[in-house]
Amino acid sequence: IGDGALFSGKIQNTSGDPVLVTDDGLSFAVGPGAADGESATLLLRPEHLSLAPATPDGALGLLDTTLEQTVFYGATRKYVCRLANGATISATPAENGGDHLQHVAPGDSLRLAYRREAPHLIREGHHGA
């Protein structure tokens, strides 16, 4: 799995806008196909995450995080971020967020985004995503 992060919970799909809600209250927007109340695990990989646009659309899932660390890998960077529940996730945005990400420091708030259909949703009783 590498730097991917796994989040388990139940699907809430009351308004046609499905989200995976974890036991500790985190919410992750997911693509269509999972039934309300269904147990599932979301695999969110670093390459799925980018800096959230100023005006995100409904196709995006959003995560409010705190930057913990920036790791340089030559031409790219990995951003290690902490979620509200204390879990960490890594982001390796392809565009590195332009000028904005060059000015963030550990402790700064960072809003990340991902396409709802990008992460792998592993539904209980199903094989695959």
Side-chain angles (χ1 to χ4, degrees), residues 5 20 25 43 56 67 86 113 117:
L20 175 81
L43 170 58
L67 180 65
E117 70 280 355

Side-chain angles (χ1 to χ4, degrees), residues 10-21 30-38 116:
K10 295 218 182 270
I11 300 296
Q12 290 184 7
N13 191 7
T14 56
S15 64
D17 192 23
V19 295
L20 175 81
V21 179
V30 296
D36 189 40
E38 185 176 15
R116 294 175 77 103

Side-chain angles (χ1 to χ4, degrees), residues 14-105:
T14 56
S15 64
D17 192 23
V19 295
L20 175 81
V21 179
T22 65
D23 288 340
D24 53 6
L26 292 178
S27 294
F28 299 90
V30 296
D36 189 40
E38 185 176 15
S39 294
T41 299
L42 186 75
L43 170 58
L44 193 57
R45 297 199 38 83
E47 60 271 15
H48 294 149
L49 296 166
S50 62
L51 186 64
T55 55
D57 62 35
L60 296 176
L62 300 172
L63 299 173
D64 289 315
T65 70
T66 301
L67 180 65
E68 293 287 313
Q69 178 183 21
T70 301
V71 181
F72 295 95
Y73 290 111
T76 63
R77 295 180 191 136
K78 176 172 78 171
Y79 299 88
V80 180
C81 301
R82 187 162 307 281
L83 296 167
N85 71 347
T88 58
I89 60 169
S90 295
T92 54
E95 76 289 348
N96 280 331
D99 291 335
H100 178 74
L101 286 177
Q102 293 178 15
H103 301 290
V104 295

